[in-house]
């Protein structure tokens, strides 16, 4: 303190004031918005509002004038121990009006009102009129941008105010006894005036006691004017400077009593309570010489517009879209919800990875709707639908993105209606819909130039879409339609999550993710469960110590078609139950759709993503590979038994969709090749991949298979759970299970 | 009939409780389960209300009758006592009666000097682009009469204590803003917590933090969700019960929850504020 005082000696003896900083509570802007929308509307006329200031801040805080949401209730209560300040709100309808408002005129008007109150004596009766403010605002409620400029009008002495005695702390001037006497006197003044804070008052002190009085009692209180002490409720915390409210008070004193007063002592009253202990010792006290000011003169020059944070004379603005725009609120709530999940339960969850994943949903039916909703739940923002169907009357009850209205007049396009609904559910979603069909093997496109061109466009569109997304969901209701996206995504090394429903069974699986093309060499062939003939010899998987059931890395996992021994394209043939999509138990699509998304999430949380080693049912007892648990290859569910199993299978080198020969042909010949597949019967792909040959080769094995007890095999090989495959797989497919898992069977 | 309910719920819930208390919360399970019904509340609100109703009756005969819940009348009385002492301390708590409805809330605002750089960055981010063009040179500046004010970044924390009828506990709402009225995001709030304190927070009720509309103001606030309040309160209240101390629920609750969100309740409240009769 002493250091500061000596330093002060060299400073010019002119009093400087700490200006108010405007402080707006968050609720103020909310309330202004409500007022603008409901009361003011286009009314630009000035409105009375109320703020307050406080003299109990700990040091270091700026001198503030605070406006709460209750600022609009001019007669409402002021917080205890705070002084109210009445203000005028000018809310303009346009930014242009905000800009062109004559700020000087606004200030002059209020300054004149203050000057008139001083002249008339009203300010002596009620000196709180000395502290006023102006708030000029423009609320851009489309963007939730608020522009505002505060003004705290202060009348000026042309020549400034001369300090006669530098500010000192009250404790340096007053004894402890005087201080406590002062406290008591001030409190008594408060209660006698029915408030908890008095903005301006008079002080008289002797060695023994201190007295205070209202301003209006001036002539009774001061017997002589040799030495006059006035008190001001001071919101400033600086040890060398008074706050703003003193300025107009000094003008009042100078104009009313200036001619009689030589020197005025000013007590800047600061009153804080820290942990129950009250202190006014840090109030400051100093003496000034008042310049003369005649009441008959015109209103003195006034200042008071607040500087912007850069220190320039300009308005401030605040962008509140994050806390006011309902759309942004929805977004932040969704994000927060997920973050909470992370904080509470899964600290290592990488949400950014999830939220930024672009998902392509092929099919917007029962599965597509449920997948989309679960993705939204995970905060996934980028969702694209492809479907060529229209919404029919039977759909809305099972497909949660559609309503009865959507079925009327022929029905809306599913892909487009789904997008609309997603946006309604959550405006922050980045959804797109494509009403297009996906060409399928065995469904010829070569009827005319037009149909060929259309098919080519569809293929190109699909290729572009797959390339623009991170994960492709196969959610169609036919098996054949899954073929083309499987090939394209395999070629582009995009992760596929596939879901298919039977009546009460389902399969949810991730397709194996081929190694990146550059590093393809070396481990090229998904040699897998090659043919039965050589399975007993050297072609078992290359991973040391790996059985076929476990530790299959992601790049060696099969696709949806790997488990098939017929090429897609022939709907007349016996279909596996999990392809007969439309007649499933109603809950199944929700279960499978949810599992498909959760599988994707778990894959994304694995450091190796789609290359993650497949977890199997056996791994349920082991340490999970991700924070969310297992990353299976397939989830096969049996609703009748309320049971799921987690099989894993290798890619099949004669797969009609993901085998190297198919991918090579597709990559080399493109649409030429694809159109051949579309236009030919299934035998084209079977011949190409060698499935036809395999059929012949394995006739014997098939026979042998049926010789063996079916039950024994399934129980031994498939670890009990595969019994259910009896339901899922038609009998002629069972040899295929044998093929895949046959390696384990010693007699092969 | 009610005891049947208790038995049933015990049997069902104990395995779950054990798992829950070990794995997720780090909060120990009390030694006996005479209040098992309380643990149901996070599961299903409606169900728990009913179960709670029946089991609470049986509690009265039981050894530990300390309720972990607070009825609305007691809430108001406890707040009154709290506020009486607060006015002595002048620590800023006040009661806001909401117009039209009988409801109200206890409110306190504190200002915290923020990390200047981070907040200033935020400021530049959240101002609108065009505002710099609005600087006017017509407006008088009287710099010579003004004390130099540090361009202090200040955060304003606003705390509201409301009563939740559905959970029958007090709920702490809060928001933090800069002096221009912009709300801080949860990340900004989190970043302003001292790093060594964060670890501690993650174990406590911080993980029940969520964003909700203030029921009376309709504005977004952060909330320490009441679903686990009872869980945090139980050990404290039971201890007090054992020691035959009467505690003011609001004081105890706020001392547990407040520090998690930078709200300190002076120790003197515990001795100075009585429980309502
Ligand atoms: Zn395949």
């Amino acid at each position: 303190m002493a250091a500061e005082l000596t330093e002060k000696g060299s400073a010019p003896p002119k009093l400087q004031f700490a200006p108010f900083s405007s402080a707006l509570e968050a609720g103020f802007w909310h309330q202004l918005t409500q007022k603008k929308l409901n009361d003011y509307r286009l009314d630009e006329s000035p409105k009375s509002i109320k703020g307050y200031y406080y003299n109990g801040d700990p040091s270091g805080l700026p001198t503030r004038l605070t406006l709460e949401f209750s600022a609009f209730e001019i007669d409402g209560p002021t917080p205890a121990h705070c002084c109210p300040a009445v203000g005028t709100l000018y809310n303009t309808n346009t930014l242009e009006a905000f800009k062109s408002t004559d700020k000087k005129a606004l200030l002059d008007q209020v300054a004149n009102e203050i000057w008139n109150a001083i002249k008339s004596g009203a300010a002596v009766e009620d000196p709180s009129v000395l502290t006023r403010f102006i708030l000029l605002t423009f609320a851009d409620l489309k963007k939730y941008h608020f522009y505002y400029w505060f003004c705290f009008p202060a009348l000026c002495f042309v020549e400034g105010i001369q300090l006669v005695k530098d500010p000192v702390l009250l404790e340096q001037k007053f004894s402890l006894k005087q201080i406590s006497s002062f406290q008591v006197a001030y409190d008594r003044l408060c209660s006698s005036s029915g408030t908890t804070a008095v903005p301006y008052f008079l002080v008289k002190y002797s060695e023994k006691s201190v007295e205070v009085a209202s301003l209006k009692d001036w002539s009774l209180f001061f017997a002589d004017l040799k030495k006059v002490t006035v008190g001001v409720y001071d919101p400033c915390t600086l040890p060398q400077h008074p706050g703003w409210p003193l300025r107009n008070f000094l003008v009042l004193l100078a104009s009313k009593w200036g001619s009689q007063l030589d020197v005025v002592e000013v007590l800047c009253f600061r009153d804080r309570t820290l942990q129950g202990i009250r202190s006014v010792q840090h109030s400051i006290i100093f003496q000034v010489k008042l310049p003369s000011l005649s009441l008959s003169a015109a209103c003195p020059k006034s200042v008071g517009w607040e500087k912007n944070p850069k220190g320039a004379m300009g308005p401030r603005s605040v962008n509140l879209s994050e806390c006011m725009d309902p759309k942004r609120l929805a977004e932040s709530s969704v994000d927060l919800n997920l973050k909470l999940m992370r904080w509470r339960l899964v600290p290592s969850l990488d949400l950014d990875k999830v939220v930024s994943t672009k998902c392509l949903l092929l099919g917007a039916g029962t599965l597509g709707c449920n997948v989309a909703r679960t993705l939204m739940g995970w905060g996934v923002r980028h969702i694209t639908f492809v479907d060529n169907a229209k919404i029919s009357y039977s759909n809305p009850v099972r497909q949660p993105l559609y309503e009865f209205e959507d079925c009327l007049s022929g029905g809306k396009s599913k892909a487009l209606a789904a997008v609309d609904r997603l946006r309604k559910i959550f405006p922050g979603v980045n959804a797109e819909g494509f009403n297009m069909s996906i060409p399928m093997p065995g469904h010829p496109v070569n009827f005319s130039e037009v149909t060929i061109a259309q098919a080519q466009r569809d293929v190109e569109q699909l290729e572009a879409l797959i390339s623009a997304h991170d994960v492709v969901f196969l959610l169609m209701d036919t098996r054949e339609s899954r073929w083309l996206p499987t090939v394209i995504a395999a070629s582009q090394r995009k992760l596929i999550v596939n879901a298919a429903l039977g009546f009460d069974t389902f399969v949810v699986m991730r397709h194996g993710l081929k190694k990146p093309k550059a590093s393809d060499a070396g481990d090229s062939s998904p040699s897998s469960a090659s043919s039965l003939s050589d399975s007993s010899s050297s072609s078992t998987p290359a991973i040391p110590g790996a059985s076929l059931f476990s530790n299959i890395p992601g790049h060696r996992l099969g696709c949806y078609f790997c488990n098939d021994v017929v090429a897609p394209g022939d709907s007349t043939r016996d279909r596996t139950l999990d392809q007969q999509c439309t007649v499933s138990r109603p809950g199944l699509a929700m279960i499978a759709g949810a599992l498909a998304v959760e599988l994707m999430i778990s894959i994304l949380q694995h450091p190796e993503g789609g290359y993650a080693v497949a977890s199997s049912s056996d791994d349920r007892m082991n340490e999970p590979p991700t924070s969310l648990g297992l990353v299976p290859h397939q989830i096969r569910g049996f609703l009748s038994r309320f049971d799921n199993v987690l099989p894993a299978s290798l890619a099949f080198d004669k797969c009609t969709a993901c085998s190297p020969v198919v991918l090579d042909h597709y990559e080399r010949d493109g649409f030429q090749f694809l159109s051949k597949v579309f236009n030919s019967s299934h035998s084209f792909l079977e011949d190409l991949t060698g499935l036809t040959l395999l059929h012949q080769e394995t006739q014997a094995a098939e026979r042998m298979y049926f010789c063996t007890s079916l039950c024994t095999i399934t129980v031994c090989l498939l670890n009990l759970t595969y019994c259910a495959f009896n339901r899922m797989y038609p009998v002629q497919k069972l040899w295929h299970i044998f093929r895949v898992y046959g390696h384990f069977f010693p007699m092969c | 009939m009610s005891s049947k309910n208790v038995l049933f719920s015990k049997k069902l819930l104990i395995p779950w409780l054990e798992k829950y208390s070990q794995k997720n919360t780090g909060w120990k399970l009390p030694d006996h389960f005479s209040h098992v019904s309380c643990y149901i509340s996070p599961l299903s609100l409606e169900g728990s209300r009913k179960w709670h109703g029946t089991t609470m009756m049986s509690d009265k005969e039981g050894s530990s009758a300390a309720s972990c819940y607070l009825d609305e009348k007691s809430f108001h009385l406890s707040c009154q006592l709290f506020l009486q002492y607060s006015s002595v301390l002048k620590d800023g708590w006040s009661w806001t009666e909401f117009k039209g409805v009988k409801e109200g809330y206890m409110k306190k605002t504190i200002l915290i000097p923020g990390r200047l750089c981070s907040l200033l960055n935020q400021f530049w981010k959240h101002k609108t682009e065009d505002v710099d063009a609005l600087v006017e040179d017509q407006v008088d500046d009287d710099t010579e009469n003004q004390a130099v004010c540090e361009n202090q970044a200040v955060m304003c924390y606003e705390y509201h204590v409301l009563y939740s009828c559905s959970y029958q506990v007090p709920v702490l709402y809060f928001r933090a803003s800069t002096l221009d009225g912009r709300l801080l995001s949860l990340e900004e709030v989190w970043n302003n917590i001292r790093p060594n304190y964060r670890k501690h927070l993650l174990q406590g009720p911080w993980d029940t933090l969520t964003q909700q509309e203030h029921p009376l103001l309709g504005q977004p606030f952060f909330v320490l969700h009441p679903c686990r309040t009872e869980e945090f309160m139980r050990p404290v209240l039971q201890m007090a019960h054992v020691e035959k101390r009467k505690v003011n629920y609001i004081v105890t609750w706020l001392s547990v929850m407040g520090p998690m969100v930078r709200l300190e309740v002076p120790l003197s409240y515990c001795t100075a504020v009585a429980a309502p009769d």
Side-chain angles (χ1 to χ4, degrees):
Chain A
M1 222 27 61
E4 275 178 54
L5 282 172
T6 50
E7 202 176 291
K8 188 69 201 161
S10 62
K14 223 175 188 191
L15 189 60
Q16 288 183 316
F17 304 85
F20 270 124
S21 300
S22 57
L24 297 157
E25 282 195 1
F28 175 82
W29 294 120
H30 283 271
Q31 202 62 20
L32 176 65
T33 305
Q34 290 305 311
K35 288 278 177 191
K36 164 83 182 159
L37 292 174
N38 303 324
D39 297 353
Y40 306 162
R41 296 165 201 262
L42 292 178
D43 177 9
E44 283 186 326
S45 66
K47 308 285 185 298
S48 281
I49 55 172
K50 198 176 83 170
Y52 62 86
Y53 55 100
Y54 182 48
N55 70 341
D57 282 330
S59 59
L61 288 176
T63 308
R64 297 171 326 282
L65 188 98
T66 306
L67 267 68
E68 290 183 19
F69 76 96
S70 56
F72 301 88
E73 294 160 35
I74 191 79
D75 300 320
T78 303
H81 311 293
C82 293
C83 275
V86 172
T88 312
L89 171 73
Y90 295 88
N91 185 43
T92 64
N93 287 326
T94 61
L95 186 57
E96 201 40 57
F98 178 92
K99 241 189 274 187
S100 62
T101 299
D102 185 344
K103 281 87 184 174
K104 196 167 168 2
L106 291 189
L107 171 58
D108 286 347
Q109 190 190 331
V110 177
N112 264 307
E113 284 170 26
I114 294 171
W115 182 241
N116 288 335
I118 291 171
K119 283 205 290 193
S120 71
V124 176
E125 282 300 309
D126 176 15
S128 70
V129 299
L130 296 173
T131 307
R132 295 274 303 266
F133 68 94
I134 301 165
L135 173 56
L136 177 65
T137 56
F138 164 61
D140 180 347
L141 296 184
K142 284 202 185 75
K143 293 183 186 157
Y144 298 96
H145 287 181
F146 294 82
Y147 300 80
Y148 67 102
W149 202 350
F150 267 91
C151 179
F152 311 103
L155 307 182
C156 299
F157 295 103
V158 184
E159 64 276 43
I161 299 154
Q162 216 185 317
L163 258 175
V164 176
K165 263 193 186 160
D166 284 346
V168 293
L169 295 181
L170 190 62
E171 61 189 355
Q172 291 168 307
K173 178 101 183 171
F174 275 20
S175 67
L176 280 177
K177 196 175 172 193
Q178 283 173 311
I179 285 175
S180 73
S181 168
F182 169 54
Q183 264 175 217
V184 171
Y186 174 79
D187 289 349
R188 204 176 297 134
L189 178 65
C190 285
S191 58
S192 71
S193 29
T195 60
T196 53
V198 178
Y200 305 99
F201 50 90
L202 309 174
V203 184
K204 208 161 60 177
Y205 57 89
S206 66
E207 298 257 313
K208 285 182 208 131
S209 72
V210 180
E211 290 171 70
V212 301
S214 296
L215 187 61
K216 58 177 180 248
D217 297 330
W218 178 283
S219 47
L220 291 170
F221 192 69
F222 292 125
D224 73 283
L225 296 174
K226 274 273 170 280
K227 193 188 139 208
V228 165
T229 306
V230 294
V232 59
Y233 177 101
D234 187 29
C236 181
T237 59
L238 299 173
Q240 293 294 323
H241 301 280
W244 212 244
L246 179 60
R247 290 192 80 160
N248 290 336
F249 188 50
L250 291 180
V251 171
L252 167 74
L253 294 179
S255 54
K256 279 278 173 195
W257 296 287
S259 52
Q260 302 148 274
L261 294 169
D262 186 25
V263 165
V264 173
E265 187 171 53
V266 180
L267 196 171
C268 292
F269 174 52
R270 302 170 184 181
D271 182 4
R272 72 177 167 219
T273 304
L274 281 179
Q275 285 165 345
I277 299 161
R278 183 179 182 184
S279 153
V280 303
Q281 286 91 312
H282 63 290
S283 301
I284 59 172
I285 190 161
F286 54 86
Q287 291 181 10
V288 292
K289 186 168 167 45
L290 289 180
S292 63
L293 195 63
S294 165
L295 269 180
S296 54
C299 178
K301 181 194 155 197
S302 54
V303 294
W305 286 100
E306 187 181 19
K307 288 177 180 171
N308 72 14
K310 275 185 177 169
M313 273 297 168
R316 298 164 182 241
S317 70
V318 59
N319 177 354
L320 296 185
S321 57
E322 259 165 58
C323 57
M324 291 181 90
D325 184 347
K327 292 182 181 177
R328 298 284 288 275
L329 273 178
E331 279 186 47
S332 62
S333 298
V334 166
D335 287 344
L336 188 58
N337 211 303
L338 288 163
K339 274 175 207 150
L340 289 173
M341 174 163 68
R342 184 178 66 190
W343 282 344
R344 288 178 199 177
L345 304 167
V346 198
S348 58
L349 191 66
D350 186 350
L351 277 176
D352 291 341
K353 227 179 204 174
V354 174
V355 171
S356 63
T357 299
K358 296 176 183 150
C359 295
L360 177 63
L361 276 53
L362 303 181
T366 45
L367 280 166
C369 287
N370 286 299
V371 164
R373 293 223 63 150
T374 316
L375 286 173
M376 301 261 277
W378 268 104
V380 172
R381 295 283 199 270
H382 195 117
I383 298 172
T384 306
F385 293 98
V386 171
D387 204 309
N388 66 346
K390 289 202 159 78
I391 302 163
S392 70
Y393 288 110
S394 67
N395 293 154
V397 292
R398 282 187 178 224
Q399 305 182 4
L401 295 179
Y402 311 126
E403 288 175 359
F404 170 73
E405 299 279 321
D406 299 327
C407 316
L408 301 179
S409 42
K412 292 181 185 163
S413 148
K414 279 188 178 178
L416 306 182
V419 168
D420 288 345
R421 190 53 41 83
L422 288 199
R423 289 191 188 132
K424 270 189 194 160
I425 292 166
F426 179 58
V429 75
N430 177 8
E432 242 190 310
F434 291 86
N435 182 16
M436 60 175 272
S437 35
I438 296 169
M440 298 181 272
H443 293 249
V445 297
N446 56 350
F447 302 109
S448 69
E449 292 289 318
V450 178
T451 56
I452 292 174
Q454 181 61 46
Q456 187 158 7
R457 274 201 304 279
D458 289 343
V459 169
E460 281 163 11
Q461 176 78 276
L462 189 62
E463 285 171 335
L465 282 172
I466 288 174
S467 147
H469 289 77
D470 305 310
V471 180
V472 182
F473 282 88
L474 304 188
L475 311 166
M476 306 87 139
D477 51 8
T478 65
R479 199 168 73 95
E480 306 94 276
S481 58
R482 297 168 199 256
W483 180 83
L484 179 61
T486 300
V487 174
I488 297 173
S491 167
Q492 292 190 12
R493 309 301 192 252
K494 295 281 183 178
L495 185 64
I496 284 195
V497 175
N498 192 345
L501 308 175
F503 165 66
D504 59 0
T505 58
F506 65 82
V507 57
V508 170
M509 66 184 293
R510 54 172 166 137
H511 285 187
L513 187 59
K514 310 287 178 208
K515 280 200 167 168
K517 280 171 186 166
S519 65
D520 234 2
D523 196 347
S524 61
S525 73
S527 69
S528 84
S530 34
S531 65
L532 281 170
S533 50
D534 63 4
S535 62
S536 56
S537 59
S538 59
S539 74
T540 40
I543 292 98
S547 78
L548 270 171
F549 284 122
S550 60
N551 296 332
I552 306 175
H555 72 278
R556 295 174 66 93
L557 289 170
C559 79
Y560 185 65
F561 295 94
C562 282
N563 290 354
D564 285 318
V565 287
V566 286
D570 194 341
S571 336
T572 58
R573 280 180 71 147
D574 195 8
R575 298 165 97 190
T576 59
L577 273 175
D578 66 346
Q579 294 150 19
Q580 295 171 8
C581 189
T582 43
V583 283
S584 50
R585 282 176 67 167
L588 208 59
M590 300 182 193
I591 298 171
L595 283 175
V597 174
E598 298 298 342
L599 175 62
M600 176 195 88
I601 303 291
S602 292
I603 295 168
L604 292 176
Q605 293 307 309
H606 195 285
E608 290 171 62
Y611 296 111
V613 167
S615 316
S616 71
S617 298
D618 294 342
D619 294 325
R620 282 169 172 161
M621 308 305 290
N622 300 334
E623 184 67 24
T626 77
S627 55
L628 289 175
L630 302 182
V631 188
H633 176 219
Q634 302 172 31
I635 303 146
R636 288 190 181 257
F638 310 95
L639 197 52
S640 58
R641 292 192 290 121
F642 294 97
D643 192 18
N644 294 340
V645 296
L646 309 177
S649 62
L650 287 159
F652 179 32
D653 63 354
K654 294 181 175 55
C655 173
T656 54
C658 75
S659 59
V661 62
V662 173
L663 293 183
D664 287 348
H665 274 82
Y666 162 68
E667 281 162 19
R668 201 178 58 226
D669 302 336
F671 186 70
Q672 291 273 295
F673 164 71
L674 295 177
S675 62
K676 258 186 246 170
V677 177
F678 303 147
N679 298 329
S680 320
S681 74
H682 62 97
S683 62
F684 172 74
L685 275 176
E686 290 179 12
D687 291 344
L688 181 75
T689 55
L691 270 181
T692 317
L693 196 66
L694 184 71
H695 273 290
Q696 292 154 7
E697 276 176 8
T698 53
Q699 300 259 310
E702 206 166 334
R703 254 177 261 117
M704 180 181 69
Y705 175 79
F706 285 112
C707 295
T708 325
S709 155
L710 192 137
C711 269
T712 316
I713 291 175
T714 46
V715 169
C716 296
L717 290 185
L718 307 174
N719 207 4
L720 287 168
T721 51
Y722 281 81
C723 286
F725 274 58
N726 295 331
R727 300 199 54 182
M728 213 163 187
Y729 273 60
V731 170
Q732 89 258 24
K733 288 280 176 67
L734 276 173
W735 77 267
H736 164 64
I737 298 169
F738 184 66
R739 175 183 67 71
V740 173
Y741 301 106
H743 300 73
F744 270 99
F745 216 52
M747 70 180 180
C748 297
Chain B
M1 193 183 78
S2 58
S3 61
K4 233 182 203 172
N5 259 345
V6 174
L7 279 179
F8 176 59
S9 58
K10 269 191 203 175
K11 205 173 159 190
L12 258 177
L13 284 166
I14 287 170
W16 174 77
L17 284 174
E18 280 166 352
K19 210 173 158 198
Y20 184 71
S21 59
Q22 286 163 9
K23 254 195 143 171
N24 293 342
T25 65
W27 287 80
K28 276 194 203 113
L29 207 61
D31 297 328
H32 53 94
F33 295 106
S34 62
H35 293 78
V36 163
S37 64
C38 301
Y39 282 88
I40 304 166
S41 49
L43 282 182
S44 115
L45 187 58
E46 276 313 299
S48 72
R49 280 292 116 238
K50 279 180 204 146
W51 280 16
H52 178 217
T54 53
T55 51
M56 281 308 272
M57 267 186 266
S58 69
D59 282 346
K60 283 197 178 142
E61 309 143 22
S63 58
S64 116
S67 170
C68 299
Y69 296 96
L70 185 68
D71 62 69
E72 190 162 7
K73 201 176 156 216
S74 309
F75 169 77
H76 286 286
L77 291 173
S78 302
C79 284
Q80 256 175 36
L81 292 166
F82 186 96
L83 288 166
Q84 273 170 22
Y85 184 62
S86 167
S87 71
V88 173
L89 286 189
K90 288 194 202 159
D91 65 350
W93 284 101
S94 63
W95 182 261
T96 305
E97 192 80 31
F98 210 73
K99 264 191 184 172
V101 287
K102 270 187 172 169
E103 290 170 88
Y105 52 88
M106 223 165 69
K107 179 188 169 180
K108 174 177 173 147
T109 304
I110 57 170
L111 289 146
I112 299 170
R115 293 188 188 169
L116 190 67
C117 50
S118 77
L119 278 174
L120 273 184
N121 284 340
Q122 289 301 322
F123 171 78
W124 297 121
K125 210 169 92 192
H126 290 278
K127 79 180 172 72
T128 58
E129 314 77 42
D130 47 355
V131 73
D132 286 338
L134 300 180
V135 170
E136 295 190 20
D137 39 19
Q138 302 299 318
V139 176
D140 283 328
D141 185 347
D142 77 330
T143 311
E144 73 272 14
N145 292 316
Q146 292 186 12
V148 187
C149 255
E150 285 168 67
N151 203 348
Q152 179 88 49
V154 172
M155 286 179 304
C156 172
Y157 278 69
E158 219 182 304
Y159 302 94
H160 293 193
V161 173
L162 280 83
Y163 182 71
S164 162
C165 288
S166 30
Y167 287 90
Q168 297 189 10
V169 291
V171 189
L172 183 59
Y173 286 75
F174 80 100
R175 61 181 169 190
S177 58
T178 45
L179 288 187
D180 53 10
R182 185 184 65 82
L183 290 188
L184 300 187
S185 68
L186 198 53
E187 250 111 358
E188 290 169 88
V189 172
W190 182 247
N191 289 339
N192 275 295
I193 291 173
R194 273 168 290 142
N196 54 352
Y197 200 48
R198 289 182 199 165
K199 214 183 277 173
H200 171 63
L201 289 187
L202 280 174
Q203 287 154 16
W206 178 271
D207 69 356
T208 66
L209 195 79
T210 182
Q211 192 172 21
Q212 268 181 18
E213 275 197 356
H214 190 291
L216 296 173
L217 297 176
Q219 297 163 11
F221 268 75
F222 299 119
V223 190
L224 288 169
H225 198 271
C227 64
R228 283 172 63 198
T229 298
E230 186 279 335
E231 186 187 323
F232 301 129
M233 289 300 286
R234 171 162 299 283
V236 189
L237 292 176
Q238 270 182 348
M239 182 67 80
H241 184 74
V242 169
E243 294 170 6
K244 301 217 173 350
R245 276 185 292 122
K246 277 193 109 184
V247 294
N248 182 301
Y249 195 104
I250 295 292
V251 172
T252 311
W253 166 78
L254 213 53
S255 335
V256 174
M257 308 293 266
M260 304 301 161
V261 291
R262 300 191 84 152
L263 175 63
E264 300 293 340
V265 180
L267 214 59
S268 59
Y269 270 94
C270 298
T271 46
V273 182
D277 295 323

